[in-house]
Amino acid sequence: MTKDGALKKYFGYESFYPLQAEIIDHLLAGKHALVLMPTGGGKSVCFQIPALLMDGTAIVISPLIALMKDQVDGLAANGIPAAFLNSAQNDEESAKIIGRCLAGGIKLLYISPERLASASTTVFLQKLRISLFAVDEAHCISSWGHDFRPDYLKLHVLREKFPAVPLIALTATADRVIRRDILRQLDIPEEHQFIASFDRPNLSLAVYSGRKRIDQILRFLSKRKNQQGIIYCLSRKTTENVAMRLQDRGYQAAYYHAGMDNAGRSKIQEGFTRDKIQIICATIAFGLGIDKSNIRWIVHYSLPKNIESYYQEIGRAGRDGAPADTVLFYSYADVKTHHDMLKDLPQDRRELLAAKLERMKRYAEADICRRRILLSYFNEQPSGDCGNCDVCKNPPKKFNGTIIAQKALSAVARTSEKINMTTLIQILRGSLNAFIRENSYDQIKTFGAGRDIKYSEWAEYIFQLLNSGFVDIAYDEGYALKLNGLSLKILKSEMDVFLTQPAELEKKFETIAALPKKQAGNDGLFERLRALRRTLADENNVPAYVVFSDRTLLEMADSRPQDAIEMLGVSGVGEHKMKQYGKQFLEEIRHYTTHQS
Ligand code: ADP
Ligand code: ZN
């Protein structure tokens, strides 16, 4: 069988994603490789197809024990014999699997790194015919990375004991230092690196002002009742609060954070993978360890700490290649929270992290194509504007807001830079209260100078001034607003300020909250197929996406295959799945089409 034949027969796909074919040929030629691909880039196929085409068993080292069963189920659903060995199994279970491997019945064997390090495993591997080694999440080998696993340091033994067996290391974490560590420790020649583009065109990107986030989220969700997603929050408390607010509105939402016990966390994770929970409100603790291709949206409730984390987190959506939406809420208070977290670090580390935070902040404040910024951050040259971010879809319409800015800044100056945003708006709007009177703020010249602008609009404008760096905020002085060099220029009319009207921002939000016409959820047939998938998944005790991905269902709903041949033409329908599920899905489609016309 050829590699193209295997792709079609086992996975039901027509053509390879970028670099997959090259990597497969490289491994088949007996060479080692380091593969860097974004989440959803299709890393697994890179070693699964060679494993199918070569004699013997491929050994896949993966730190994600919780995922092994789903991965093996996923392979089984495509008719590929696979198994896993980890420390959670008892002796009898593992003896059975070892026996099947030695008898030549298993093409892929997943092993946890600690299990690999045990003496009995070494003895077993020496008896086994091994086709290749695949080291998944290879960045865990580097002590520079955030997921460092000491057991990964022992992997170099594989290269010493099995020098002739090709080894492929795979990761989605890009950094040069980590890459160098992987190459060195696994003794992979530098020229054997495959680095894919990190662009994920199916992910929409949007950044919104972090005011009234819950309201905005509710509106976003109201159009996505059948779509699963994750809301990333900075603190445990926020995850709990947001989940509660959503539950109150009838959503199946749960929270997930590092303060919960293992059993509680696995239960939530399982519920999400099996489509029983629609929304997870999580700290970053939820992430590594979810292998779910039909996550349709990601919301960042707060600004992430750097672009790497942000990109990794949004990357968990839309792994099946179907459209997925990402929304980031940005507020300057988040920047303060991050700065507080850095406070006690040694100076050089603090400076590095602060610089990364600054890049993240600039991304959130930008008014050029956001994908351009992301790709250039990862040292790629984008070919043009993406057309799938909020800036591209709705270029910010600005008006000359110099006078508005001057009113606000002048009030800040006249109150000796002691007031926070709330007091500033009260002064501008001429609201009298005890605090204003006590401080004689009602006596200053700008008192009431901005009555014509609503409270919420003032808040929005001041927000924009802050985000553009036209005024500073002293987090350690009760959020007092402070003038800077630019503020003075504006006050002296040496420079103009351009602002966006809140109504424009509102319109902008509507465009992203809306679903593209053909997207998941709009089509009656798609919903029928989804329901059928759910039933079949429950019967077989596997996650729904293991039966068929959202993308495959969308294509089925769209092309409405009438017979087995047409069904096999749908991307994601391989021979095994055709045999197992084809008939039921064909019937559902036929039923739907006849009752419609
Ligand atoms: P990664 O591990 O890089 O995040 P996966 O290996 O999980 O990515 O693949 C992501 C999704 O893309 C999976 O649903 C997979 O079946 C699918 N996929 C992989 N290669 C192809 C391809 N050549 N054509 C279509 N879909 C593919
Ligand atoms: Zn864009």
Side-chain angles (χ1 to χ4, degrees), residues 242-272:
V242 176
M244 211 164 62
R245 297 283 299 274
L246 298 180
Q247 286 164 3
D248 286 347
R249 294 301 191 97
Y251 286 97
Q252 289 167 317
Y255 63 85
Y256 182 105
H257 57 63
M260 300 159 64
D261 61 22
N262 276 339
R265 285 196 305 200
S266 330
K267 209 172 128 224
I268 301 290
Q269 182 160 327
E270 170 91 1
F272 187 62

Side-chain angles (χ1 to χ4, degrees), residues 369-371 385-389 392:
C369 170
R370 296 196 198 275
R371 204 170 313 263
D385 286 355
C386 76
N388 195 18
C389 73
C392 283

Side-chain angles (χ1 to χ4, degrees), residues 7 11 13-17 20 37-45 291 293 319-320 549 551 571:
L7 185 70
F11 299 94
Y13 300 140
E14 292 304 321
S15 54
F16 286 104
Y17 280 167
Q20 283 179 331
M37 266 185 192
T39 314
K43 284 187 280 297
S44 326
V45 161
D291 185 11
S293 76
R319 281 171 74 161
D320 51 14
S549 74
R551 189 185 187 174
S571 172

